[in-house]
Amino acid sequence: MVEETIKTIKETENKADEIIRKADTTCTEILENAAKEAKKIKEQAVAEAKQKAEADFLKVREDGENQKAEASKITEQDMEALKALAETKEEEAVAVVMEALLG
């Protein structure tokens, strides 16, 4: 009877040890899988952030080029207007000098 009780206790201890080993193995697998998944999510987030940053950079660069072209166009128009104004003033100056010389 005592031997049977001892045998039952040992079997129970062995079962408990097996359950603990399986739990440790399962825990390790879960942690490894979680670490792999976290790494994968992080890499994906970094790749998406880089892609967005590159797209934003290209957009800003394009906007800058457009603004530069618009500023050049405005500057060119201003220069043409100043040339036209200078030409009219030149004609007026020549007329005044001619009048002074002749008059």
Side-chain angles (χ1 to χ4, degrees):
M1 176 102 155
V2 171
E3 288 178 17
E4 195 172 307
T5 303
I6 292 173
K7 182 180 175 188
T8 303
I9 290 171
K10 285 189 180 192
E11 287 175 0
T12 303
E13 286 176 345
N14 288 339
K15 287 179 184 178
D17 287 342
E18 183 63 26
I19 290 170
I20 290 171
R21 277 193 297 278
K22 285 182 181 179
D24 284 343
T25 301
T26 302
C27 179
T28 300
E29 289 173 359
I30 290 171
L31 290 174
E32 287 174 354
N33 289 338
K36 287 177 187 176
E37 187 66 23
K39 182 179 179 183
K40 181 179 171 183
I41 290 170
K42 179 182 175 184
E43 288 171 352
Q44 185 177 2
V46 167
E48 289 174 2
K50 284 182 181 179
Q51 187 177 18
K52 184 179 181 331
E54 187 173 336
D56 289 348
F57 171 75
L58 292 175
K59 173 81 170 96
V60 167
R61 184 175 176 186
E62 182 181 345
D63 290 347
E65 290 295 325
N66 290 340
Q67 289 176 0
K68 181 179 173 184
E70 185 63 27
S72 291
K73 182 179 174 183
I74 291 170
T75 301
E76 186 68 31
Q77 290 171 347
D78 289 348
M79 285 175 43
E80 291 298 320
L82 287 173
K83 282 181 186 178
L85 180 62
E87 286 175 4
T88 61
K89 296 294 181 183
E90 180 181 4
E91 291 172 8
E92 288 177 20
V94 169
V96 168
V97 169
M98 293 296 284
E99 187 178 321
L101 290 175
L102 296 175

